[in-house]
């Protein structure tokens, strides 16, 4: 049988390696690694020196030390969870704002295109002898065509 | 070479206009990127003064604002951009020294001022530089030139994960095979009271932690 200190040490090391790998692959942003590293450190420290937990339990008046461990663990997870909820709410608002903006932009681009084709046509009608309309505008755009503005940005 | 000057701005208004006017004397194409400033009314004044701007609805961070400028420059067929801080720290002469590097075909040209910052800054920079193996002495400099090729690469994938325009960008740019170069320039002390990226001690610690995690995760 191996010492429990080795078990918890390995557990902590595994947490660290997983976080580093996720950061390396770009799955986890560096700024979110902080809390996970903190958790890894707590696991290692409490695992290798369980005396600390006993001392804290005595100080806070908890008679059964492992119960304190669970209280701390649940507390930390609750904080993490709350943080994620706040984060999700913020993101939802931002996505809504972005979509509204994109929708308005799409509409504006469509209107501009329509205006341009109308102008190109009126110029053509006024000067029937000239071919091709405006300089460089040989291809007047169809009004009901989907504007490709967002697509051209992301490409 | 068709160059665009990108000026990312976050709550910078009183100092911004003289900076832009100085720039206008040397460069014809300037684009201000407002990164979700609290008071956006200054954008109307910019329009009146004849400056172009992009208005980002909320604060995305310095690097993300610059990427927005990259995407604009790419669609508008610019050959390169120069990023220039709006707080009066950078001088148009410095930006002019970036240009030859881009013309020689370098992808990322960094304007360095090694006398910048206190000894703690220099010390941290030295250590991070050594750890990363980058060999760029002033990697926090915001005065940089990017080629069209660099912009194309730096607006995708893992580059969207980054927060700061600093070591991480350079580290990954080098990994992608882009050519990096440093040019010495002179910088002023900024006109705003505080750094926008590092307003307090906690932000510095956060930065150090993020950068260290970045280096450790990629160098192990």
């Amino acid at each position: 049988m191996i010492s429990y200190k080795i078990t918890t040490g390995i557990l902590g090391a595994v947490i660290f390696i997983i976080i580093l790998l996720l950061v390396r692959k770009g799955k986890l942003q560096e700024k979110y690694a902080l809390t996970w590293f903190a958790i890894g450190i707590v696991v290692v420290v409490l695992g290798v020196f369980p005396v600390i937990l006993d001392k804290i339990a005595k100080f806070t008046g908890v008679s059964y030390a492992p119960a304190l461990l669970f209280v701390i663990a649940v507390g930390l997870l609750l904080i993490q969870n709350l943080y994620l909820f706040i984060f999700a709410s913020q993101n939802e608002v931002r996505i809504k704002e972005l979509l509204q903006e994109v929708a308005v932009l799409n509409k504006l681009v469509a209107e501009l295109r329509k205006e341009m084709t109308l102008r190109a046509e009126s110029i053509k009608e006024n000067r029937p002898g000239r071919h091709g309309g405006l300089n460089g505008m040989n291809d007047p755009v169809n009004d009901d065509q989907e504007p490709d503005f967002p697509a051209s940005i992301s490409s | 070479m068709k160059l665009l000057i990108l000026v990312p701005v976050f709550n910078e208004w009183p100092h911004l206009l003289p900076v832009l006017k100085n720039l206008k004397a040397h460069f014809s194409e300037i684009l201000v990127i407002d990164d979700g400033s609290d008071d956006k009314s200054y954008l109307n004044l910019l329009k009146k003064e004849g400056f172009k701007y992009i208005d980002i609805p909320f604060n995305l961070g310095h690097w993300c604002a610059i990427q927005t400028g990259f995407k604009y420059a790419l669609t508008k067929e610019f050959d390169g951009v120069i990023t220039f801080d709006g707080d009066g720290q950078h001088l148009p002469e410095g930006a002019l020294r970036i240009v030859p590097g881009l013309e020689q075909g370098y992808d990322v040209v960094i304007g360095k001022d090694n006398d910048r910052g206190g000894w703690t800054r220099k010390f941290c920079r030295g250590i991070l530089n050594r750890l990363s193996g980058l060999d760029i002495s002033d990697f926090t400099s915001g005065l940089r030139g990017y080629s069209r090729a660099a912009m194309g690469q730096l607006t995708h994938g893992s580059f969207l994960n980054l927060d700061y325009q600093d070591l991480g960008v350079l580290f990954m740019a080098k990994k992608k095979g882009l050519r990096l170069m440093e040019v010495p320039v002179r910088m002023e002390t900024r006109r705003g009271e505080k750094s926008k990226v590092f307003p307090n001690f906690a932000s510095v610690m956060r930065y150090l932690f993020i950068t260290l995690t970045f280096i450790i995760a990629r160098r192990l």
Side-chain angles (χ1 to χ4, degrees):
Chain A
M1 207 173 87
I2 55 170
S3 161
Y4 66 91
K5 292 187 180 184
I6 295 174
T7 318
T8 48
I10 290 172
L11 194 64
V14 166
I15 294 177
F16 272 91
I17 290 168
I18 289 174
I19 297 306
L20 281 178
L21 278 178
L22 285 173
V23 169
R24 188 194 181 101
K25 286 189 173 157
K27 302 270 183 211
L28 183 71
Q29 289 189 31
E30 282 83 358
K31 55 185 166 189
Y32 302 124
L34 179 59
T35 46
W36 288 103
F37 279 141
I39 289 172
I41 289 169
V42 169
V43 166
V44 172
V45 169
L46 287 186
V48 178
F49 308 106
V51 198
I52 299 173
L53 194 68
D54 292 335
K55 288 245 167 78
I56 299 174
K58 203 173 264 177
F59 181 75
T60 50
V62 178
S63 56
Y64 182 56
L68 183 66
L69 184 67
F70 286 113
V71 170
I72 293 173
V74 170
L76 277 180
L77 288 178
L78 268 180
I79 292 171
Q80 251 317 38
N81 201 5
L82 185 63
Y83 175 75
L84 283 178
F85 266 84
I86 294 170
F87 192 64
S89 313
Q90 193 187 12
N91 276 348
E92 209 172 294
V93 171
R94 289 184 160 194
I95 289 170
K96 277 180 196 164
E97 200 171 349
L98 280 180
L99 286 179
Q100 289 165 348
E101 203 120 314
V102 168
V104 172
L105 280 178
N106 267 343
K107 182 73 187 129
L108 285 177
V109 170
E111 281 173 10
L112 275 177
R113 278 168 177 260
K114 202 170 174 184
E115 206 174 295
M116 269 167 72
T117 35
L118 282 178
R119 205 174 288 174
E121 274 166 12
S122 71
I123 286 172
K124 238 189 265 172
E125 276 165 21
N126 289 343
R127 298 186 211 164
R130 251 180 85 181
H131 295 285
L134 286 173
N135 326 331
M137 273 209 47
N138 314 334
D139 182 23
V141 196
N142 223 339
D143 337 352
D144 47 9
Q145 196 183 319
E146 230 9 88
D148 58 0
F149 175 66
S152 70
I153 283 278
S154 61
S155 67
Chain B
M1 207 177 191
K2 200 178 155 204
L3 285 178
L4 177 69
I5 311 293
L6 294 179
V7 186
V9 170
F10 177 52
N11 294 341
E12 204 73 77
W13 170 239
H15 320 285
L16 184 64
L17 199 56
V19 173
L20 289 179
K21 282 186 170 159
N22 263 342
L23 259 179
K24 193 84 189 171
H26 296 87
F27 295 95
S28 55
E29 297 275 4
I30 300 170
L31 180 70
V32 173
I33 303 159
D34 181 82
D35 187 17
S37 290
D38 297 329
D39 182 9
K40 294 224 177 218
S41 54
Y42 77 92
L43 290 175
N44 286 325
L45 283 159
L46 277 191
K47 201 192 252 172
K48 225 179 269 172
E49 295 279 344
F51 290 105
K52 287 195 288 183
Y53 61 82
I54 284 184
D55 179 5
I56 302 178
F58 33 71
N59 185 252
L60 293 177
H62 192 245
W63 172 239
C64 204
I66 286 169
Q67 281 182 315
T68 312
F70 285 176
K71 289 189 176 176
Y72 175 83
L74 284 171
T75 52
K76 284 285 187 170
E77 307 288 330
F78 281 96
D79 300 315
V81 300
I82 294 174
T83 62
F84 193 94
D85 285 357
D87 58 5
Q89 202 185 160
H90 299 156
L91 299 168
E93 292 75 35
L96 285 170
R97 302 197 65 164
I98 300 281
V99 178
L102 288 175
E103 277 169 351
Q104 283 163 35
Y106 284 93
D107 293 304
V108 183
V109 185
I110 303 133
K112 66 165 172 178
D113 183 353
N114 288 337
D115 298 329
R116 208 158 59 91
W119 68 269
T120 38
R121 278 274 186 99
K122 283 178 194 165
F123 181 72
C124 289
R125 268 212 303 256
I127 287 188
L128 289 176
N129 187 26
R130 188 68 63 81
L131 281 175
S132 67
L134 247 186
D135 202 27
I136 297 286
S137 53
D138 190 358
F139 54 76
T140 52
S141 164
L143 181 63
R144 293 186 185 171
Y146 294 93
S147 70
R148 201 180 159 76
M151 286 190 281
Q153 299 242 26
L154 300 188
T155 41
H156 285 294
S158 45
F159 285 99
L160 288 166
N161 267 335
L162 300 172
D163 289 304
Y164 303 99
Q165 179 193 238
D166 68 330
L167 197 134
V169 174
L170 297 176
F171 186 90
M172 276 161 46
K174 198 172 183 183
K175 222 170 158 187
K176 292 254 177 188
L178 297 171
R179 291 171 72 208
L180 275 55
M181 181 204 201
E182 267 191 308
V183 224
V185 296
R186 197 170 64 80
M187 288 187 195
E188 294 275 300
T189 47
R190 61 173 64 81
R191 288 184 202 166
E193 328 73 51
K194 276 178 176 174
S195 162
K196 287 285 169 332
V197 189
F198 301 117
N200 51 38
F201 182 70
S203 61
V204 176
M205 291 314 291
R206 183 171 177 271
Y207 171 75
L208 279 179
F209 169 79
I210 287 178
T211 309
L212 274 176
T213 312
F214 180 91
I215 295 173
I216 292 169
R218 281 169 183 78
R219 297 261 297 169
L220 278 185

